Amino acid sequence: MVQSMPPGSRLPSYRDLQERYRLSPATVQRILADLSRRGLLVTRPGSGTYTAQRRQAPAAADVSWQTLALGSRTGLSVDLERLVDPGPADSVPLTSGFLDERLQPLGLLAAAGARSARRPQAWSRLPPQGLPELRAFFAAESGGSMTGQNVLITPGGQAALSAVFRHLCAPGDPVILESPTYVGAIAVARAAGLNLVPVPGDEQGMLPDVLADALARTGARLVYVQPRYSNPAGAVLAPDRRVAVLEAVARHGAFLLEDDWMRDFDLGPPSPPPMASMDDDGHVIYLRSLSKPVAPGMRVAGLATRGPVLARLRLGRISDDLFVAPVLQQVALEVLTAPGWIRHLGSIRRLLRERRDALVAAIGASLPECELPLVPAGGVHLWLRLPERWSDVDVADLAAVRGLSLSPGSMSFPSEPPAPYLRLSYSAAEPPALVRAVQILAGVLS
Ligand SMILES: Cc1ncc(COP(=O)(O)O)c(C=O)c1O
């Protein structure tokens, strides 16, 4: 009614409106208040309520001045955006490393959310390091003798990586990354203006001799590694290499950032305990995020380490964003300590195993020219080597047109890739969709 009346028209009285539309006084009041908020009505005290003057649709804004003000985009990469973008709703999603809703503990989250939101502390200030009981949980996860005192809670693993890279290094400093590695680690290192030093790995993880050389040559003080089911290659760092990597890091007076992102995702026999459990001298900074085992929206992670580096990171984290929402920390704690949590983990492992096996079998049956250098015993990705003549980006683009979202492997290399790869995630698609995905890929490659 309001929009069909000319601007400046007086509205009927409250009582008329109630009678004409058979509404309660409260409903009439709520509707009028809502229209006023949207700028469609104005109230003139003592006179009545009138329809507002129509606003001219704004002309296209002139934001061209920002081109000069922003300058060129240094350090920020669009690759990560591709990973967090959910993609078209009707495509088969093989890009996300997050669990889909079928694998999330939605019941546990709902109950924990309702209980946590009712606690008065949920909305208060917390010590910036985080909720003590949650810190104790992460300390225990690091597998050694650290306690809750050694832990800082961060709003997710990405924020933790960013804090470590920015607060322990200065722009221009070298940082060693295994190659290939997590796109997001490359992104934060670039955004921090660091000099990325790639160290290659194979099916058993990073090569310790090359690492030792790189430490000696560059003087890097920070090494980033994922010893368990690395993203994207799926490698588990072999026990003898763990010793050699730690020895090289210690000899060169460096820190090792251990990103244990797949802590809960052994799909077969248990993988080795965290490297943090092998270090008493504060070389390892242990990172454990909850966004993978719980849900992508669970933006909570723990960083655990020893020595003055903890104080440096604590101050850095406070300067970044003070502290993580207490209500979310409380929800995380309740989920992790709920009786159903371990059972839930068991069931997601079983379902992920089925997905991985379906994907591996479909690749074996339909992609004879592609190679899987490794079938990981855990995690959520396969790392597929394409025939040499293909570009990974072209394949991903062609697949996208046919309704399949894929991650080109080149994004995961800090420098030029040695061969074309695709990263295929099975955390967000069920076996029939994975088989369909492989058929689409086979169609693209044929
Ligand atoms: C290896 C690795 N580390 C860290 C992260 C970031 O985790 P979070 O979602 O907790 O920020 C990701 C996300 O995909 C990842 O793959």
Side-chain angles (χ1 to χ4, degrees):
M1 169 189 111
V2 167
Q3 267 159 333
S4 65
M5 292 166 74
S9 310
R10 189 168 187 279
L11 250 61
S13 70
Y14 267 47
R15 184 180 295 274
D16 285 351
L17 288 169
Q18 281 164 36
E19 281 168 10
R20 194 180 308 171
Y21 297 104
R22 304 226 180 104
L23 296 172
S24 70
T27 308
V28 171
Q29 199 160 8
R30 188 168 42 74
I31 293 173
L32 294 187
D34 181 48
L35 292 170
S36 303
R37 250 193 321 274
R38 289 161 52 195
L40 297 173
L41 295 180
V42 283
T43 303
R44 296 191 199 132
S47 166
T49 302
Y50 294 82
T51 51
Q53 295 301 323
R54 302 241 155 85
R55 271 190 242 133
Q56 293 284 337
D62 178 8
V63 291
S64 57
W65 63 272
Q66 293 191 0
T67 305
L68 185 60
L70 290 171
S72 70
R73 188 180 62 212
T74 46
L76 293 181
S77 132
V78 291
D79 289 347
L80 197 54
E81 205 171 16
R82 206 168 169 147
L83 279 196
V84 284
D85 180 355
D90 53 354
S91 71
V92 188
L94 263 59
T95 46
S96 164
F98 294 115
L99 299 183
D100 62 48
E101 279 160 22
R102 284 169 298 236
L103 300 189
Q104 294 167 17
L106 297 179
L108 291 180
L109 281 166
R115 266 195 309 274
S116 303
R118 280 198 296 269
R119 293 166 150 241
Q121 307 92 304
W123 306 103
S124 308
R125 257 185 322 142
L126 268 187
Q129 300 92 310
L131 198 65
E133 300 88 330
L134 189 60
R135 294 169 70 204
F137 167 87
F138 281 117
E141 289 284 284
S142 73
S145 57
M146 288 196 278
T147 70
Q149 299 292 326
N150 296 93
V151 175
L152 303 174
I153 305 294
T154 71
Q158 191 68 22
L161 293 181
S162 176
V164 173
F165 284 17
R166 284 178 301 110
H167 300 307
L168 299 194
C169 302
D173 281 357
V175 59
I176 294 179
L177 310 172
E178 63 190 322
S179 178
T181 191
Y182 167 47
V183 181
I186 297 177
V188 284
R190 293 224 161 100
L194 307 184
N195 172 17
L196 281 67
V197 180
V199 165
D202 60 17
E203 288 75 57
Q204 306 207 31
M206 189 182 246
L207 302 174
D209 293 348
V210 187
L211 170 65
D213 270 1
L215 282 161
R217 200 163 33 78
T218 63
R221 286 183 301 134
L222 183 62
V223 178
Y224 169 73
V225 64
Q226 304 159 51
R228 199 190 309 267
Y229 310 122
S230 63
N231 175 1
V236 176
L237 190 60
D240 55 332
R241 291 197 187 179
R242 290 173 183 242
V243 174
V245 163
L246 259 185
E247 197 275 324
V249 162
R251 188 155 29 93
H252 289 91
F255 292 105
L256 181 88
L257 175 53
E258 176 181 18
D259 184 353
D260 201 4
W261 74 300
M262 284 285 108
R263 178 82 165 99
D264 298 301
F265 290 79
D266 282 331
L267 305 182
S271 46
M275 291 177 76
S277 66
M278 302 161 65
D279 165 56
D280 288 327
D281 300 327
H283 286 287
V284 177
I285 302 170
Y286 179 73
L287 168 58
R288 158 88 154 104
S289 158
L290 300 180
S291 72
K292 295 296 184 300
V294 180
M298 177 51 75
R299 311 298 312 153
V300 173
L303 264 180
T305 189
R306 300 187 154 82
V309 65
L310 190 62
R312 174 74 61 89
L313 290 173
R314 185 169 61 85
L315 285 184
R317 282 284 316 134
I318 294 172
S319 76
D320 289 345
D321 49 32
L322 300 184
F323 57 91
V324 179
V327 69
L328 199 56
Q329 297 191 48
Q330 187 63 42
V331 175
L333 181 67
E334 294 222 5
V335 169
L336 297 169
T337 52
W341 173 241
I342 299 294
R343 203 171 43 246
H344 173 78
L345 277 182
S347 75
I348 56 176
R349 285 192 196 111
R350 183 174 47 77
L351 294 169
L352 284 174
R353 208 162 32 236
E354 284 172 16
R355 292 180 181 191
R356 179 202 57 192
D357 293 349
L359 186 56
V360 171
I363 290 170
S366 307
L367 298 174
E369 281 195 280
C370 298
E371 192 197 337
L372 277 179
L374 176 69
V375 176
V380 291
H381 303 309
L382 295 182
W383 186 230
L384 185 76
R385 185 170 172 156
L386 293 170
E388 228 43 66
R389 63 180 183 283
W390 279 100
S391 132
D392 58 339
V393 175
D394 288 351
V395 173
D397 288 348
L398 289 168
V401 176
R402 299 178 184 210
L404 169 63
S405 304
L406 295 170
S407 304
S410 45
M411 299 191 305
S412 303
F413 289 94
S415 59
E416 289 74 11
Y421 287 91
L422 294 174
R423 194 193 75 173
L424 311 180
S425 309
Y426 47 84
S427 50
E430 294 196 83
L434 293 166
V435 172
R436 200 163 69 251
V438 171
Q439 283 158 0
I440 296 175
L441 187 53
V444 167
L445 295 176
S446 62

